[in-house]
Amino acid sequence: MPRISELFFKTAIIFFLLGIAIGIKMGISGDHGAFPAHAHFNLLGWVTSAIFGGYYALNPAKAEKRLAMIHYGLYTLGLVVMLPPLYLKYAYAMDAVEPILGIGSLIVAAGVLVFAVMVFSSAETVRSTTAATAR
């Protein structure tokens, strides 16, 4: 399995565990106010990261490209910046975290755009793009 796939799968598991922890906390407390954060941890963190890992496992030529690691770094950084403030906003009504939440969301969007470039480019095009970027 390509290294990038393994990174995405390992990261997905971490976010899945965090999403489950939020769900358990909501269930025990009876306060389901953090459900948007719970959903984002599970859908963006667990499901989407696992899908990215699967994509790169099925496309090993693209998985070897520098752009794949840029995708991983951007997307994961975006989640790390975005998800804690999202949780704080909904679990504890901390609206002051919204600017950080917005920045994280933009980083996640940039990561998704990089993935779109990977998907819509042939392996040769991705190779040429990353070579030109490295100069």
Side-chain angles (χ1 to χ4, degrees):
M1 179 181 318
R3 180 172 181 258
I4 193 75
S5 293
E6 207 166 310
L7 285 170
F8 268 118
F9 283 127
K10 288 178 179 178
T11 302
I13 291 296
I14 291 167
F15 283 113
F16 190 34
L17 290 169
L18 292 169
I20 287 172
I22 293 169
I24 290 170
K25 181 188 178 288
M26 288 189 307
I28 290 170
S29 70
D31 178 3
H32 293 84
F35 80 87
H38 169 70
H40 280 76
F41 269 86
N42 286 319
L43 291 176
L44 293 180
W46 160 237
V47 176
T48 305
S49 292
I51 289 170
F52 291 154
Y55 177 82
Y56 287 118
L58 293 171
N59 294 280
K62 290 183 180 184
E64 295 174 13
K65 305 304 164 212
R66 183 170 178 250
L67 197 56
M69 192 57 74
I70 291 169
H71 167 224
Y72 173 79
L74 259 179
Y75 188 77
T76 304
L77 173 65
L79 292 179
V80 168
V81 171
M82 181 184 85
L83 294 177
L86 187 67
Y87 177 75
L88 293 172
K89 175 178 173 48
Y90 288 103
Y92 301 103
M94 294 178 66
D95 292 336
V97 299
E98 284 188 20
I100 300 167
L101 176 57
I103 290 167
S105 297
L106 291 173
I107 298 169
V108 167
V112 172
L113 286 174
V114 171
F115 181 64
V117 168
M118 292 293 285
V119 169
F120 287 103
S121 300
S122 69
E124 293 78 28
T125 304
V126 172
R127 188 175 300 119
S128 301
T129 303
T130 55
T133 307
R135 292 181 204 165

